[in-house]
Amino acid sequence: MRKNIRYPTFWNAPEPTDITISLQDIGINGKCEVRNLWTGETSTATDGTLPVSLRPHACALFTCKN
């Protein structure tokens, strides 16, 4: 079975920012495996969203697979 993989990436402004995206908006339906590509942390998104907190001038890159 072929997996659906997306790479959401976030860049931040000068202030701390909390962002939540709908996984459906990036083509992921249902639960998915999420991996932070810089820290290696993994989790499972079961509610269809990906919440991200960024410090000033930070960025984050993820893989989302289902």
Side-chain angles (χ1 to χ4, degrees):
M1 183 171 137
R2 186 173 166 195
K3 289 196 172 207
N4 184 17
I5 303 172
R6 298 289 188 261
Y7 297 89
T9 306
F10 303 89
W11 286 270
N12 193 12
E15 305 87 30
T17 302
D18 292 322
I19 303 165
T20 300
I21 64 162
S22 165
L23 294 174
Q24 190 171 24
D25 288 348
I26 62 170
I28 300 284
N29 295 310
K31 75 176 189 176
C32 72
E33 175 188 314
V34 177
R35 177 182 293 270
N36 182 319
L37 292 178
W38 286 318
T39 67
E41 293 178 56
T42 60
S43 63
T44 301
T46 57
D47 67 353
T49 64
L50 175 60
V52 179
S53 294
L54 296 175
R55 295 181 313 246
H57 306 288
C59 53
L61 173 62
F62 297 88
T63 58
C64 296
K65 300 178 187 179
N66 74 342

